[in-house]
Every structure is written in structure tokens, then in C-alpha cells.
Amino acid sequence: MAGKKGKRIFVGVLVSVLVIFIAALIFAGNYLVNFAIGRRSAPAYDVVPASEVVSEDAAVIEKNRNEISAATKAWYEKVEHRVDEIKSADGLSLKGEIFSQKDSNLWLVAVHGYSGRRQGMFDIARFYYEKGFNVLAPDNRAHGESEGKWVGMGWLDRKDILIWLDKITEENPDAKIILHGISMGGATVMMCAGENLPSNVKGIVDDCGYTSVWDIFSDELSVLFHLPSFPLLNVASGMAKLRAGYSFGEASSLKSVSKAKVPMLFIHGEKDNFVHTEMVHKVYEACPTSKKKLVVEGAGHGESYQKDPELYLKTVFDFLATECAVY
């Protein structure tokens, strides 16, 4: 009897421990989902590791950033622009800003990064505009003036971009469109590459996008919380599927790029320790279309343009002219 009683106690304790462990795992997974893809009211500086850019390069980046910002502010104040709106497939009101050109069929769709907003793409938009492009800079869902509780991390946003593309082509059937995104925006445009894009889309520019949501969150889990991916990320991914409509594993730029049908340009900072530079080599190798790659020395995450504006812009517009034939 004593043996049976001891066995029951052991089983009871084991079950209790297991229940507590599962409950803790669910709680932690829920916290991670809210932390990672819940809408934020401020930029996500808390998720970015300390920069590894040396002081000399950092000074160049800051100087160029200030000069570019001042020029963009002056440009914005004098050009015509308006805010437009679409409805997402799941009923969200999504806003975007449009800079129109007269008698031009060239279009840029400029996609911002995680916790940013459309204004973060205006520095890039300005140069496209000055090259004769109309520009659409959308606020991604759960960012800026757009509705949404959950950040799409590019995966939900790719469908939203398709709706924006339909709007452009309905108004301008002869449009020649370039998609250009930075960070999460880079992942977004890469994920768009795997969709059935309208023939109006002539090329895609990815600047420091990640290979997949799973990869970037796995890395952040290690850096921020010093935890392995299993089992917490697996649980969080499943909860994200239930709550936000997508799992972290399915949201893959790498898989999407492998289905690309348009030319692609991949840009990355050589000192990017957030979306690690090795990711650009993986997506570049996966791309089956005509492609170019630029790794900017001394640039951290999202800093390639500020580190060497002349090289960045020359590479972009040479790519558009030679690979995309938009001119």
C-alpha cells in the first residue's frame, strides 16, 4: 500500500510540475507575442543591440544623416503631397502618403521598418522623386496613422502592399513600379517577391531585411533574454498564429525570394549586428532572377544610405536602369 501511495504522490507532483511548466510557458509565450508584435507607441530602441560601428564611421553617418534630413525637410515643404487610404483584406484602414509627378508613369513604393512610420522613408523617396518618380510611402499596419493591433513583420504587410499596387495600377495602368524597403520594410518587399505581382512591378530593392521572422526573433531571444529558441519561440509562434494570423516560421523572406520573377537588389551594412549581415548573402543566393548585391563597409543596421549616400544612390539607380529597364 505504501508503495502505491508513494507512486500516486509522485505522479501527482509530476503532473503539478508539468501543469505549472506549461502555464509558465504559455504566459511567457504570450508576453513574447505582445512584446514582439504588439503595436508600439514609440520606436523600438529596446530591441536594438549596441552598435558595433567604429567612432569614425559613426561620425560620418551622423553628419550625413543630419544633412540628408535637412534637405528632405526643405523638399517636403515645397512638393505636392497628399494622404490616401486603402482597406486591408481584414478591414483595417491603412494610410499612405503620395507625392505625385505630372506626366510620369514611374512609381516608387517605399516601405518603412519595424516601429517606424512612412516619414522614415522620405529621405529615400526624395531622390526617387527627383529622378521623376511618383512616390507612395505607406504606414504599415499597426504603425503611424494606419490601424492594427498586430505588427505584420512583412508577412501580413505583403498582402497590404498588393492592395496598394492595385490602387496604383487602377489609376495608372502604364505604371512602372519599384518596391524599396528598409529593415522590416526590406523583408516586406522580399516577401512580396513571392506573390503574383502585377506586371507593372519592374524591380525590388531590399535594404537590410531579415531572412525570416523566426530567424530574427530567435536571434533577439538570445540577445535580449539569453534564452534558446526551443520551446519558447515555438509556443509564441503558435500563439501568434492564433492571435495575429501568422506564425513566425511561415513568414520567410528566404522562401519568398526563391519565387521571385523580377530583378532584385540587396543592400546591407557590413557592421549590421541586428539583422546580421550574413542574412543578405542567404537571400541573394536564393534569388533566381537577375540580381545585384551591395554591402556597405562601416555601416550598421539601416545605415548604408547615410554611410555612403553617393555609392548607395548610384547603385540603386544603375540597377533600375540596367536591370529593371524603367528608363
Side-chain angles (χ1 to χ4, degrees), residues 220-293:
E220 287 301 288
L221 196 60
S222 175
V223 171
L224 296 178
F225 302 105
H226 308 291
L227 292 171
S229 299
F230 181 82
L232 180 54
L233 197 59
N234 303 74
V235 172
S237 179
M239 296 183 72
K241 183 70 173 181
L242 292 173
R243 301 181 68 189
Y246 68 100
S247 68
F248 300 155
E250 71 182 306
S252 172
S253 306
L254 195 62
K255 291 179 182 177
S256 295
V257 162
S258 70
K259 303 173 187 177
K261 296 180 177 63
V262 298
M264 299 192 66
L265 169 62
F266 302 92
I267 302 173
H268 221 96
E270 176 253 341
K271 291 291 186 180
D272 193 338
N273 63 328
F274 182 34
V275 177
H276 292 288
T277 308
E278 66 188 38
M279 290 190 179
V280 74
H281 304 304
K282 293 179 179 180
V283 291
Y284 177 82
E285 289 301 323
C287 179
T289 64
S290 60
K291 56 191 176 182
K292 298 289 184 182
K293 178 170 60 176

Side-chain angles (χ1 to χ4, degrees), residues 62 69 112 132 206 210 218 238 291 327:
E62 185 64 19
S69 179
H112 68 76
D206 153 53
Y210 38 80
S218 176
K291 56 191 176 182
Y327 294 113

